[in-house]
């Protein structure tokens, strides 16, 4: 059932190995087919073919985290953050600037979560605080930042990000509870 898609993506990679999209698509197909090891191998190969693509390194970091390898994830997430910052300095269209800002927030969130998971609380705090200052209404970033603050015992400081989380979830509450 997925064989034609796999074949097409492998052909696309052979034709244009320096393009990130076929690699990312192939890894996504493998993930969707419950083949996480093949997805991981694909993303590893992609880092050699397209070494300066922040999204590939982000996805590889996420795959390592899903596979229970946060130490391996950390280096790729750090590299993804570095590459995304470099991309920010180049001239871009408004749409690409928006996409890059969104990707930088996802990278910061995953990097902060991974740092926290590995016990690097101070660095996780710094990364997530910076992300939260840039996107205070993002509930995922607010959650990650609040978790770091709570782990540090900074209960008062955690109130604002926790409020962001609660406000984002009021849409899910029955009307009588949202007031």
């Amino acid at each position: 059932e997925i064989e034609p898609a796999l074949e097409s993506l492998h052909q696309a990679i052979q034709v244009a190995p320096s393009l990130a999209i076929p690699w990312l698509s192939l890894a996504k197909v493998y993930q969707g087919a419950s083949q996480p090891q093949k997805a991981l191998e694909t993303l590893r190969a992609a880092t050699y073919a397209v070494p300066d693509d922040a999204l590939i390194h982000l996805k590889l970091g996420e795959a390592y985290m899903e596979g229970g390898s946060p130490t391996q994830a950390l280096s790729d997430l750090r590299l993804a953050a570095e590459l995304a910052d470099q991309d920010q300095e180049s001239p871009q269209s408004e749409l690409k600037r928006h996409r890059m800002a969104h990707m930088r927030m996802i990278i910061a969130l995953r990097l902060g979560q991974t740092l926290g998971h590995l016990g690097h609380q101070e660095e996780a705090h710094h990364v997530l605080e910076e992300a939260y200052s840039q996107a205070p209404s993002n509930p995922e970033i607010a959650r990650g930042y609040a978790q770091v603050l709570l782990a540090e015992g900074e209960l008062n400081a955690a109130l604002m990000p926790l409020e962001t989380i609660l406000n984002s979830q009021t849409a899910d509450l029955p009307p009588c509870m949202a007031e």
Side-chain angles (χ1 to χ4, degrees):
E1 183 171 299
I2 63 166
E3 290 305 316
L6 291 174
E7 187 176 322
S8 295
L9 289 168
H10 281 289
Q11 288 174 354
I13 288 169
Q14 286 177 346
V15 171
S18 62
L19 292 179
I21 290 176
W23 290 102
L24 292 165
S25 298
L26 182 59
K28 190 173 184 174
V29 169
Y30 281 133
Q31 281 286 14
S34 298
Q35 297 181 32
Q37 190 58 39
K38 286 219 178 218
L40 191 63
E41 291 166 8
T42 299
L43 291 166
R44 275 194 213 121
T47 64
Y48 291 100
V50 194
D52 296 334
D53 191 278
L55 186 55
I56 287 174
H57 288 281
L58 167 62
K59 295 299 182 185
L60 181 55
E62 289 176 336
Y64 279 131
M65 283 301 292
E66 289 170 16
S69 300
T71 304
Q72 289 179 292
L74 186 57
S75 61
D76 278 289
L77 293 171
R78 285 186 197 274
L79 184 53
E82 183 181 314
L83 292 169
D85 286 344
Q86 290 172 6
D87 282 347
Q88 181 180 359
E89 297 168 7
S90 63
Q92 302 169 342
S93 68
E94 185 65 30
L95 179 60
K96 181 158 186 187
R97 201 171 14 261
H98 176 74
R99 285 182 180 161
M100 288 303 297
H102 180 73
M103 185 171 64
R104 277 192 306 280
M105 289 299 105
I106 294 170
I107 292 169
L109 176 62
R110 300 296 183 253
L111 179 57
Q113 290 170 329
T114 303
L115 288 163
H117 183 81
L118 291 170
H120 303 290
Q121 288 303 119
E122 189 174 318
E123 191 177 356
H125 179 117
H126 174 73
V127 168
L128 291 167
E129 181 177 47
E130 176 68 24
Y132 181 71
S133 72
Q134 293 180 18
S137 62
N138 182 306
E140 285 186 80
I141 290 172
R143 179 177 288 109
Y145 185 44
Q147 287 172 334
V148 167
L149 291 169
L150 291 170
E152 295 172 347
E154 297 287 335
L155 305 180
N156 286 335
L159 290 176
M160 288 269 297
L162 288 170
E163 186 176 332
T164 299
I165 298 164
L166 289 173
N167 288 337
S168 73
Q169 294 176 349
T170 58
D172 298 334
L173 295 175
C176 64
M177 296 180 74
E179 296 174 0

